[in-house]
């Protein structure tokens, strides 16, 4: 990754603390769990006994022209077929956005993307799609824009956070 697409320690700290400040300002209770860096949904197994509830896979995708961005949130154990997903969300061919696009749009590096990341989407370019299986009443777990910590919050708290966003948000069945 090019040097211009890296965050300074101060920027990483600010990105993370923005999550905590927002949750606190909205009156959302949460637990914070520190852990070793996790880059994939498969690695979540090491914290599942500590971070109770639903763990999620967060896919940052783009359409074939690179003109539309999507954040797809599904349970960590769910497989996502991008060919059928494109039809469900009304997109052209989908592919994973590059680390450069992730940085440009959400000011993040790979392994840290999550719904909290949308606070960095100042132009509201990203459409959020949440699989209905995620919204099962259990507590939810998301990285706070850094992959060495996990925020555990209630479904009600998560929905309150979502209501504070200005991005397009849809619940779908994947």
């Amino acid at each position: 990754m090019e040097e211009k697409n890296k965050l300074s320690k101060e920027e990483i700290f600010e990105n993370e603390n923005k999550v905590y400040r927002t949750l606190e300002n909205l009156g959302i209770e949460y637990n914070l769990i520190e852990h070793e860096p996790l880059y994939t949904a498969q690695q979540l197994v090491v914290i599942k006994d500590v971070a109770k509830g639903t763990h999620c896979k967060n896919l940052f995708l783009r359409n074939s022209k690179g003109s539309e961005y999507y954040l797809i949130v599904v349970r960590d154990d769910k497989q996502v077929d991008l060919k059928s997903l494109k039809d469900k969300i009304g997109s052209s061919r989908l592919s994973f956005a590059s680390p450069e696009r992730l940085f440009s749009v959400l000011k993040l590096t790979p392994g840290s993307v999550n719904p909290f990341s949308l606070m960095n989407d100042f132009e509201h370019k990203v459409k959020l799609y949440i699989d209905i299986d995620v919204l099962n009443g259990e507590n939810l777990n998301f990285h706070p824009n850094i992959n060495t910590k996990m925020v555990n919050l209630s479904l009600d708290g998560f929905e309150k956070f979502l209501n504070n966003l200005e991005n397009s948000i849809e619940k779908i069945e994947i």
Side-chain angles (χ1 to χ4, degrees):
M1 188 178 313
E2 293 180 29
E3 193 63 33
K4 68 179 183 175
N5 290 335
K6 291 191 178 186
L7 295 170
S8 69
K9 287 182 181 181
E10 294 80 18
E11 290 168 316
I12 292 169
F13 181 76
E14 178 55 30
N15 237 353
E16 175 188 355
N17 282 302
K18 187 187 308 183
V19 173
Y20 310 139
R21 280 194 312 274
T22 300
L23 294 175
E24 289 163 9
N25 289 340
L26 292 171
I28 299 170
E29 293 183 24
Y30 64 93
N31 292 315
L32 185 63
I33 300 150
E34 294 189 43
H35 54 76
E36 293 298 315
L38 301 174
Y39 296 94
T40 66
Q42 292 80 15
Q43 293 174 329
L44 291 171
V45 69
V46 300
I47 62 164
K48 283 192 174 185
D49 60 331
V50 179
K52 301 293 185 190
T54 300
H55 290 265
C56 297
K57 191 182 318 188
N58 302 282
L59 309 175
F60 185 59
L61 306 173
R62 67 176 188 88
N63 67 357
S64 60
K65 291 182 181 179
S67 59
E68 300 281 334
Y69 295 97
Y70 311 97
L71 177 57
I72 310 299
V73 179
V74 299
R75 292 179 61 93
D76 68 318
D77 57 358
K78 197 164 212 179
Q79 297 298 314
V80 179
D81 175 20
L82 297 184
K83 288 182 181 179
S84 65
L85 179 61
K86 76 174 184 65
D87 295 330
K88 285 186 185 225
I89 66 174
S91 176
S92 59
R93 184 182 50 84
L94 294 171
S95 61
F96 288 91
S98 67
E100 292 78 18
R101 287 176 186 263
L102 174 61
F103 186 85
S104 172
V105 176
L106 296 177
K107 302 299 181 248
L108 290 177
T109 56
S112 301
V113 70
N114 65 86
F116 299 135
S117 308
L118 296 177
M119 291 187 296
N120 292 340
D121 180 15
F122 303 112
E123 297 178 29
H124 313 296
K125 291 181 177 182
V126 181
K127 296 176 183 172
L128 176 62
Y129 289 91
I130 303 172
D131 183 36
I132 57 173
D133 287 346
V134 169
L135 308 172
N136 63 8
E138 291 185 13
N139 275 15
L140 297 166
N141 295 281
F142 297 105
H143 290 307
N145 294 338
I146 187 168
N147 67 352
T148 58
K149 296 179 184 171
M150 190 69 69
V151 167
N152 177 279
L153 72 165
S154 70
L155 177 59
D156 288 342
F158 181 60
E159 289 179 337
K160 190 173 187 179
F161 168 78
L162 293 177
N163 290 334
N164 187 59
L165 292 174
E166 294 182 30
N167 293 69
S168 167
I169 301 169
E170 290 193 42
K171 298 171 186 174
I172 61 172
E173 187 173 351
I174 297 178

